[in-house]
Amino acid sequence: MALSRRALLAQAAASATAVAAPSPAVGAGGGAAPTTTTTTTLRGTIPPGAPDFVYVPLDVPSGVRELRVSYRYDKPPTPPGTPGNALDIGLFDQRGTALGGRGFRGWSGGARSEFFLRGDEATPGYLPGPLERGRWQIALGPYTVAPQGLPYEITVTFVHGAPAPAVPVAYPPQRIPGRGRAWYRGDCHVHSVHSDGRRTPTEIIALARAAGLDFVNTSEHNTHSSHTAWAGAADSGLLVLTGEEVTTRTGHVLAVGTDPGTFIDWRYRARDGRFARFARAVRQAGGLVVPAHPHATCIGCAWKFGLGEADAVEVWNGPWTADDEVSLASWDATLCGANGARWLPALAHSDYHRDPDRIGGPQTVVLADDLSRESILAGLRAGRAYAAESSAVSVDFTAVTPRGAHAGIGEGLAVADPGAEVLVRLSVTGAEGCELRLVTDQGLALTVPAATALEWRTTPARTAYVRAEVRHPPQAPPLPGPPAALTNPIWLRP
């Protein structure tokens, strides 16, 4: 007989033992007064079919200077094709676990097996601050559970003593000197040590500048802890937008350019009907809602929420694969029904985690009035952007009427006569040997192999929009080769 959700929760958090183990320790200040520690061990078993998140209560006493948590869980062998055990972890304080994250104190997923919090410092992924008395909750996320169940053991150490003083909070500036109205290159999907990445923000800044980028967006999984870690980025000439990768069990979505310090909750599925609330929260914080790798094949990665709440969509994620090709085709299908009204711009990002991932591979190149959060987001939202495999690739794509009216990427060209001829021009640098392709609402309209420029004529009566692809030679015909660049459409409006 299947267990109820309440019974599963009770079974998962059934066992907890406390072991008092006072021992002398020296405080973090080196010469600080001696402290003592107390250790508590929490044990339980998560059965197959458990809820997405299991909360293990933790009573935090008064006078705790530092909280340390480590955990482990069994990983028994499973038959081929059967998922094994994988367990994520995070923490909520005495303010509770209600959706919205008021009590949120950090999340590391499965990236690390231990973490600590103190008033002045915390493990990346977690938020420093007061360790107040009350019932906290350790959040466990059973990503997959083996048929045998998932036994776990959590060790919590309280370091007792005077609280560490809070440190001032600083965020990266929202504007830095730029080139005025120009094309700016960025990567809005990168991960540092604050989630499951391997590089520090400082190292990522250096890699981004070496890749020719002008901006990046912080996109750690389910935490905003890194927002304060980028404060010095402006000294290198890099604009840092603050955001998050909201990693649900039915798809991942980038919150791009939200107000610094904004946390967006992730503890829901598409069937719960809650996503619209959190999409609004992203926009209320000034950010963009961008579904990530919508057709990825990893567990929980494919986007299941629909595109009604999206502001743009990531059609190219890291090295080009078959799921990117599907994402591109699916996005193009949405353009066919948009008729130049509300349409979703396409973006490209590296999803950088570690070498050999390459920051800026691919990247989004956006026309913006300045190198500022406001201007970059405005350009992305309007679709004045194209994707490129690296900073070596540049695209010029325009449409012109006989009377000299013209439009560029993401713009609309108003033509009084639907039968009037429009000249479309495409030129590319840094992509020698690639074929140039024009795609319209009717499908592939033109292919020119091994070219760097083309011209094509059409009319608004025949073509609702035209977009450009720059493709490397095919590797497995009849499939096209991977792209060197992709553009958003130009709309032809009678």
Side-chain angles (χ1 to χ4, degrees):
M1 178 176 177
L3 293 174
S4 68
R5 182 181 179 89
R6 185 184 299 273
L8 286 168
L9 283 167
Q11 181 176 337
S15 173
T17 60
V19 180
S23 62
V26 177
T35 61
T36 58
T37 63
T38 303
T39 298
T40 296
T41 302
L42 307 167
R43 298 184 179 90
T45 298
I46 299 174
D52 288 340
F53 301 100
V54 173
Y55 299 97
V56 180
L58 174 66
D59 290 322
V60 175
S62 301
V64 173
R65 173 185 176 86
E66 183 175 314
L67 175 65
R68 303 170 185 166
V69 178
S70 63
Y71 81 118
R72 64 182 183 85
Y73 58 92
D74 289 354
K75 300 177 182 179
T78 59
T82 301
N85 285 335
L87 184 63
D88 296 342
I89 194 168
L91 186 67
F92 289 78
D93 65 21
Q94 80 288 344
R95 292 172 294 178
T97 61
L99 276 180
R102 188 164 176 263
F104 176 77
R105 291 303 293 268
W107 183 256
S108 49
R112 51 180 54 88
S113 60
E114 58 185 0
F115 58 87
F116 80 92
L117 286 79
R118 205 169 54 224
D120 61 341
E121 192 178 357
T123 298
Y126 293 81
L127 307 179
L131 303 176
E132 296 185 4
R133 178 181 180 274
R135 174 152 288 188
W136 292 42
Q137 302 285 341
I138 296 174
L140 298 179
Y143 189 63
T144 55
V145 179
Q148 301 95 316
L150 197 163
Y152 65 83
E153 180 180 284
I154 305 169
T155 301
V156 180
T157 300
F158 302 114
V159 179
H160 305 275
V167 296
V169 174
Y171 296 114
Q174 299 188 30
R175 177 188 298 271
I176 65 173
R179 303 183 297 277
R181 185 171 177 81
W183 292 94
Y184 293 98
R185 297 176 178 269
D187 190 342
C188 293
H189 193 167
V190 298
H191 296 277
S192 77
V193 294
H194 283 260
S195 57
D196 56 348
R198 293 293 180 267
R199 298 276 191 172
T200 65
T202 299
E203 291 172 322
I204 290 176
I205 290 168
L207 291 172
R209 294 303 287 150
L213 299 185
D214 300 296
F215 66 93
V216 297
N217 176 72
T218 71
S219 51
E220 310 297 355
H221 294 286
N222 301 340
T223 183
H224 60 300
S225 68
S226 75
H227 288 192
T228 60
W230 299 83
D235 295 339
S236 67
L238 185 74
L239 175 71
V240 176
L241 310 176
T242 52
E244 183 182 335
E245 182 174 6
V246 183
T247 307
T248 82
R249 293 302 178 88
T250 49
H252 301 186
V253 61
L254 301 173
V256 176
T258 49
D259 293 332
T262 298
F263 168 72
I264 304 297
D265 214 317
W266 75 96
R267 293 170 294 157
Y268 43 85
R269 286 177 179 250
R271 67 190 180 203
D272 299 329
R274 292 170 173 157
F275 177 65
R277 166 187 169 185
F278 295 101
R280 286 194 300 271
V282 172
R283 284 191 281 271
Q284 288 167 357
L288 303 180
V289 178
V290 183
H293 43 65
H295 291 276
T297 56
C298 48
I299 296 175
C301 294
W303 185 246
K304 303 294 186 181
F305 293 89
L307 298 175
E309 294 290 342
D311 297 308
V313 62
E314 183 185 78
V315 303
W316 186 356
N317 175 278
W320 188 262
T321 57
D323 58 272
D324 294 307
E325 198 72 62
V326 175
S327 295
L328 179 63
S330 298
W331 166 73
D332 183 82
T334 69
L335 299 179
C336 293
N339 196 29
R342 185 188 184 276
W343 61 280
L344 293 180
L347 306 181
H349 310 124
S350 71
D351 199 357
Y352 177 85
H353 285 78
R354 63 190 67 82
D355 299 340
D357 297 349
R358 184 170 56 86
I359 288 179
Q363 59 194 247
T364 296
V365 191
V366 57
L367 181 61
D369 291 333
D370 201 357
L371 188 51
S372 67
R373 172 194 174 197
E374 180 181 6
S375 295
I376 293 295
L377 293 183
L380 295 175
R381 187 182 292 109
R384 298 191 302 267
Y386 65 89
E389 64 181 357
S390 74
S391 59
V393 179
S394 295
V395 174
D396 185 27
F397 184 46
T398 59
V400 184
T401 69
R403 295 189 175 184
H406 68 278
I409 298 170
E411 297 177 337
L413 184 63
V415 184
D417 179 3
E421 195 170 74
V422 173
L423 175 63
V424 176
R425 292 191 178 106
L426 171 65
S427 64
V428 183
T429 58
E432 289 73 17
C434 288
E435 67 178 23
L436 308 185
R437 297 157 57 100
L438 296 182
V439 181
T440 75
D441 52 311
Q442 299 296 313
L444 182 62
L446 179 68
T447 301
V448 181
T452 59
L454 65 75
E455 291 187 349
W456 180 68
R457 287 173 169 80
T458 188
T459 68
R462 297 200 310 266
T463 303
Y465 68 85
V466 57
R467 61 180 182 84
E469 297 180 1
V470 183
R471 298 267 192 167
H472 291 284
Q475 299 174 345
L479 295 176
L486 306 166
T487 77
N488 277 295
I490 298 174
W491 296 91
L492 305 182
R493 297 169 178 158

